[in-house]
Amino acid sequence: MTAPPSQTILAKSSSSGREITLADHIDDVLGATSLMFGRTGQPTRMAAKWLHFFRLQPEDFEPFFVNLWLAAAFHDLGKANDGFQALVRRSGEQIIRHEHLSALLLAGDTLREWLHSHQELGVDADIVTAAAASHHLKVTGETLARPLTDRTNPAVQVYATSPDVTAVLTMAGSVLDSPAPSLEAEDGAWGFAARVAPRKRLLREAMNRLKREISTGDPRHRLLLAVKAAVIAVDSAGSAAPRLGLDMRGWLTSAFSPSALTGSDIDSGIIVPRVDELQRRNVWQGFHGFQVAAATLPDRALLLSGCGSGKTLAAWKWASARLDAGDHSRVIFLYPTRGTATEGFRDYASWAGPELSALVHGTSQYDLADIFSNPDDARHGFDYTAESRLFALGYWHRRVFTATVDTFLAAMNHQYAAICMLPVLADSVVVIDEVHSFSESMFRSLERFLKYFDIPVLCMTASLPSDRQAVLADGCGLEIFPSDDASFADLAEQASAPRYRAKAIDVASSMTLARQALENGKKVLWVVNTVARCQAIAEEASAYSWATEKWLCYHSRFRLADRKIRHNEVIDRFRAAGGPMLLITTQVCEMSLDLDADVLITEAAPVPSLIQRMGRCCRQPLPPPGRLGEVYVYRPAAHQPYEPGEIDQGMEFAALIEGSPTVSQEDLGEYLADMRIDDSFIEDRFTGFLDSSWYAMSREDSFREEDEFTVDCVLDSEIPLYVEAGNRSSPETPGYILPAPRRLASPAPLLGRFLRSAPSSHYHPDFGLLGHEAAKT
């Protein structure tokens, strides 16, 4: 079988009007490879950082580069088949995944023997094959070379002698100064039974042998992962640049050949403007001793300090010092939620300016719209958004990041965009905040990341159960700071200051307590464990005259547009001096809301969560004489979403602190350190990116362990508006989306595969999406 009638093998659909052939695409990808990682004997700065990140040695560059070059050259070889060509020409369907066919070609005698013949140059045929097979993160032992059609006895025509394939073979061989062999023997019809199945057996045997031969963390394993991830990065770059008409050399050179950031860049660009802002608000009291001392911490540390103590400024001090101590071009602050990331960007990273700073999470482009709407703000009018058509690659030029944890660490679960961000991560100093809030899956990714990769990392939290603290300190080698609060008089004074008066109550007393607090002009934070109970309490409060215009309801099931407004309203009303206020909310308050309530009413929850909720009450570093936060804890009507034992432990905690006339942050820390751990964290469990060997299957839903009972929706009455906004690529588009219970979600063809419709009749702007029809407004 000869080449298709057009005599060209297309690599991409020609929707832009320009046909991109297989040879063109491979030339672009190899160009990106050279620009990012260098050439034989000439590693770039990015290459040095990449090897260090994967804990490889400088002398590993030659085998890394030659295997990367060959994998990048061969990764799309399987596009030379009739099914893929019909797909990109919109005249048919794929019969086999192209990257699986690439791997089958590499497993054949012709290419495999040629690769083996260059072992003395560092060529590893198994690594090249594995990287080609896995570059779309859609291959396992079970899915490998599975037919994509229900036809009986399907066959695929392989165009192995086409001019494009010949050109690709020439480009591949250039790195070895050895012409790649002809693939004439591979040309023709491949029946799945007669030809694909035997080749698949050979490939699977080779790949399973590779899996048996390597151990997680040994040099060959590290080389395998470094090559696999680099192929994804250069393929993404080689695809994006021609699609958008970018000058690839200028684009990649400016992204990955920057001068190192310095401590003075951070001091003058972020810390000083932030301090000036605090001074204008009359809340600046000078640097604390522990914030200054944080600059002396090593590359790996765990900062444990109470809520409101100034951890974030301490972390920026640490980052500044790490930049001066090493050679790094970026600083990354990671937060567990979009809300905390946005607040971190607003308060700190944004001061670096729109050319350097970036906010990165699922709705960051929307959150950045009018983020600095006050004309008096020095940042007013700045455009911090990235080029959306580049997706993750649009952030490669930025230097100061505030992002959600999954933006980078979801690479551990084979999330494609996060893997594309690894070239940024490899050259960074990283701060990871609120680690107490990580689910087991998130904490496992953090633990394995810290053990496997080598960059400076500071983890932070106000409180952490003893088993997880031990994992970070003993298992991952993080130095705990401060080792003793008494070392810093200011911290010791804050930690020991009387802060709370606590009491366990019954649920029937809660509304009365809220009313009394409001009548006394106090700000009340009422936290419950489910959205439904949050809404029920808010609906009840709305019926009372004493709560009129004093209450707000805030949780996750609002339209993003309404949630953004509500978030800002909550912050503004709590910051306003004086005046009663009742906020009825859920776990979202534990991190994404910087509040200082006078009274906390809360359902029992896991003890770390209760401590975080208490951190939103009487939050002043040093409460004035006579001020004590009033804390009331009651047992919820149902234990979900927690385990019954966690609720019991929360009530035990409330009963214990009720026995003290006052409670300090120091008391809370001691309780947490002594708390029994019924289900301690187990180290070194499976993580896809590190433990999958040759295969790779993206699990974008497995990093956060999100609520499986909710799905992103658009209100049925707003579907036309959403579609119209999407067609206009409007920044308003995400504002229509809200998470809804699956029982309220319905398919909607206009919304595509990933969104559903939710009933507008159940939505109320004050309460969000209800489980019942909303009252008319």
Side-chain angles (χ1 to χ4, degrees):
M1 177 68 63
T2 58
S6 68
Q7 295 296 308
T8 59
I9 302 296
L10 295 184
K12 307 286 181 182
S13 298
S14 56
S15 57
S16 64
R18 173 198 169 194
E19 287 191 343
I20 299 178
T21 68
L22 178 63
D24 291 336
H25 174 58
I26 297 305
D27 188 51
D28 288 333
V29 172
L30 293 178
T33 301
S34 295
L35 290 167
M36 290 179 68
F37 295 102
R39 297 288 302 201
T40 302
Q42 300 175 351
T44 62
R45 183 179 187 277
M46 180 73 257
K49 287 295 182 181
W50 194 255
L51 295 178
H52 184 83
F53 179 66
F54 281 91
R55 297 186 189 271
L56 290 165
Q57 301 304 311
E59 55 267 27
D60 293 319
F61 173 71
E62 299 304 324
F64 163 74
F65 182 77
V66 71
N67 286 292
L68 169 59
W69 182 275
L70 292 167
F74 290 136
H75 77 288
D76 275 353
L77 201 60
K79 288 182 175 178
N81 77 80
D82 61 339
F84 186 85
Q85 292 308 301
L87 179 71
V88 294
R89 289 177 166 86
R90 298 179 176 83
S91 61
E93 61 180 0
Q94 273 196 104
I95 300 171
I96 185 173
R97 288 198 63 85
H98 74 269
E99 72 272 24
H100 295 190
L101 183 55
S102 298
L104 294 180
L105 289 166
L106 286 165
D109 290 343
T110 303
L111 284 179
R112 190 165 181 85
E113 289 176 4
W114 178 72
L115 291 171
H116 275 305
S117 70
H118 295 92
Q119 287 181 345
E120 75 281 359
L121 297 178
V123 176
D124 190 320
D126 291 334
I127 288 179
V128 173
T129 305
S134 64
H135 77 274
H136 278 299
L137 307 177
K138 292 182 183 294
V139 60
T140 67
E142 292 72 34
T143 62
L144 176 65
R146 180 183 294 169
L148 303 178
T149 177
D150 294 331
R151 299 181 206 166
T152 304
N153 301 320
V156 58
Q157 294 288 335
V158 177
Y159 305 127
T161 59
S162 72
D164 280 283
V165 170
T166 301
V168 168
L169 295 172
T170 300
M171 286 184 272
S174 67
V175 77
L176 302 172
D177 291 327
S178 169
S182 166
L183 293 183
E184 186 174 356
E186 305 287 18
D187 198 71
W190 286 43
F192 271 78
R195 198 162 183 182
V196 172
R199 185 65 61 85
K200 182 166 69 172
R201 282 195 295 271
L202 289 175
L203 174 58
R204 190 177 282 158
E205 287 172 4
M207 293 295 95
N208 287 340
R209 184 168 58 250
L210 169 68
K211 188 172 184 177
R212 291 192 300 271
E213 289 173 355
I214 63 175
S215 299
T216 300
D218 70 22
R220 193 178 181 209
H221 179 258
R222 293 181 178 279
L223 182 62
L224 169 65
L225 296 192
V227 172
K228 285 174 64 175
V231 167
I232 290 173
V234 297
D235 181 37
S236 298
S239 299
R243 185 178 73 247
L244 299 181
L246 298 176
D247 169 28
M248 189 184 300
R249 176 171 294 278
W251 174 49
L252 292 180
T253 301
S254 63
F256 296 113
S257 299
S259 58
L261 277 181
T262 66
S264 62
D265 294 328
I266 299 303
D267 293 342
S268 61
I270 295 174
I271 295 177
V272 169
R274 173 58 175 168
V275 169
D276 290 344
E277 181 186 38
L278 294 175
Q279 288 175 331
R280 288 192 297 272
R281 289 168 46 194
N282 295 318
V283 294
W284 177 246
Q285 297 177 343
F287 285 107
H288 299 300
F290 92 98
Q291 291 173 326
V292 176
T296 66
L297 291 173
D299 277 357
R300 295 292 181 93
L302 171 62
L303 197 166
L304 294 170
S305 184
C307 295
S309 61
K311 291 188 296 295
T312 306
L313 265 178
W316 281 104
K317 284 282 191 182
W318 173 84
S320 173
R322 290 302 87 206
L323 291 174
D324 283 339
D327 175 27
H328 311 284
S329 68
R330 294 172 173 89
V331 174
I332 299 172
F333 269 66
L334 299 180
Y335 295 88
T337 68
R338 297 175 183 181
T340 47
T342 299
E343 290 303 311
F345 178 82
R346 186 196 309 270
D347 290 343
Y348 291 92
S350 59
W351 289 108
E355 297 299 320
L356 296 182
S357 60
L359 172 65
V360 194
H361 58 65
T363 57
S364 57
Q365 302 288 79
Y366 181 76
D367 285 358
L368 285 170
D370 299 322
I371 189 171
F372 301 114
S373 57
N374 183 351
D376 294 330
D377 194 304
R379 297 160 292 181
H380 176 69
F382 286 174
D383 182 5
Y384 291 91
T385 59
E387 169 55 77
S388 60
R389 294 175 298 169
L390 283 170
F391 301 102
L393 279 61
Y395 296 103
W396 277 4
H397 288 75
R398 303 297 175 92
R399 309 286 292 277
V400 180
F401 289 80
T402 304
T404 46
V405 179
D406 52 308
T407 300
F408 291 92
L409 295 197
M412 306 295 286
N413 290 60
H414 278 135
Q415 206 266 1
Y416 191 88
I419 292 176
C420 289
M421 293 295 276
L422 289 182
V424 170
L425 188 63
D427 194 14
S428 297
V429 168
V430 181
V431 176
I432 305 176
D433 200 6
E434 306 281 13
V435 296
H436 74 278
S437 69
F438 285 20
S439 67
E440 183 173 339
S441 174
M442 292 173 69
F443 196 80
R444 179 168 65 249
S445 295
L446 173 62
E447 172 232 343
R448 298 295 305 279
F449 172 80
L450 289 170
K451 289 178 177 178
Y452 196 91
F453 299 100
D454 191 0
I455 52 173
V457 178
L458 175 70
C459 292
M460 299 198 302
T461 187
S463 58
L464 198 63
S466 58
D467 63 326
R468 294 195 174 196
Q469 183 171 319
V471 166
L472 295 180
D474 301 332
C476 301
L478 274 61
E479 178 178 311
I480 296 178
F481 175 81
S483 57
D484 179 8
D485 282 349
S487 303
F488 301 99
D490 48 358
L491 269 190
E493 186 178 12
Q494 288 181 30
S496 61
R499 188 172 297 276
Y500 310 111
R501 181 170 45 239
K503 185 177 182 180
I505 62 171
D506 59 82
V507 64
S509 307
S510 53
M511 190 63 74
T512 300
L513 289 168
R515 175 179 180 173
Q516 291 171 347
L518 288 185
E519 290 174 345
N520 290 325
K522 295 183 178 180
K523 289 183 169 62
V524 182
L525 176 64
W526 191 337
V527 189
V528 295
N529 301 335
T530 69
V531 172
R533 292 200 293 271
C534 174
Q535 292 169 326
I537 293 169
E539 286 186 288
E540 181 182 353
S542 69
Y544 296 127
S545 60
W546 51 263
T548 303
E549 298 183 356
K550 299 181 181 70
W551 64 273
L552 285 175
C553 176
Y554 183 61
H555 51 73
S556 60
R557 290 185 194 164
F558 283 96
R559 295 165 66 251
L560 183 58
D562 293 334
R563 184 171 177 174
K564 180 179 178 181
I565 293 169
R566 184 57 48 90
H567 179 97
N568 292 333
E569 186 177 8
V570 167
I571 296 294
D572 291 343
R573 287 178 64 174
F574 264 84
R575 283 182 178 173
M581 167 72 185
L582 171 60
L583 174 62
I584 305 156
T585 185
T586 61
Q587 294 90 333
V588 298
C589 76
E590 294 176 19
M591 293 163 292
S592 59
L593 295 176
D594 183 4
L595 308 177
D596 184 10
D598 302 303
V599 177
L600 170 67
I601 302 171
T602 177
E603 292 183 342
V607 174
S609 293
L610 287 178
I611 291 176
Q612 289 298 317
R613 294 174 190 185
M614 293 173 70
R616 272 65 197 163
C617 179
C618 195
R619 191 174 171 85
Q620 289 173 284
L622 284 176
R627 188 187 184 199
L628 287 174
E630 301 173 40
V631 177
Y632 301 99
V633 183
Y634 64 90
R635 182 180 291 275
H639 64 80
Q640 290 87 354
Y642 303 115
E643 295 299 320
E646 293 177 305
I647 299 299
D648 292 340
Q649 204 166 47
M651 290 305 299
E652 292 171 12
F653 168 72
L656 180 68
I657 61 176
E658 182 179 7
S660 301
T662 62
V663 179
S664 67
Q665 290 177 340
E666 185 177 44
D667 297 327
L668 300 180
E670 290 175 355
Y671 180 92
L672 193 62
D674 294 337
M675 186 181 74
R676 72 177 189 275
I677 304 297
D678 296 326
D679 186 18
S680 59
F681 181 83
I682 299 174
E683 296 184 64
D684 299 314
R685 284 187 169 177
F686 179 86
T687 301
F689 182 71
L690 298 183
D691 301 319
S692 294
S693 184
W694 64 274
Y695 69 83
M697 181 59 74
S698 178
R699 288 290 311 281
E700 299 196 13
D701 62 336
S702 64
F703 181 74
R704 286 186 171 272
E705 297 175 348
E706 296 281 14
D707 182 357
E708 62 179 311
F709 300 110
T710 64
V711 61
D712 281 347
C713 291
V714 175
L715 295 176
D716 50 21
S717 63
E718 296 184 339
I719 291 175
L721 297 174
Y722 175 85
V723 173
E724 181 187 357
N727 290 338
R728 292 185 283 108
S729 299
S730 169
E732 300 172 0
T733 305
Y736 293 105
I737 296 174
L738 80 160
R742 288 186 181 274
R743 65 183 179 83
L744 294 178
S746 303
L750 289 175
L751 296 176
R753 293 172 51 201
F754 303 108
L755 290 174
R756 295 290 184 269
S757 168
S760 299
S761 59
H762 286 52
Y763 191 80
H764 192 287
D766 292 333
F767 306 118
L769 188 69
L770 296 158
H772 54 82
E773 287 197 12
K776 301 296 183 182
T777 57

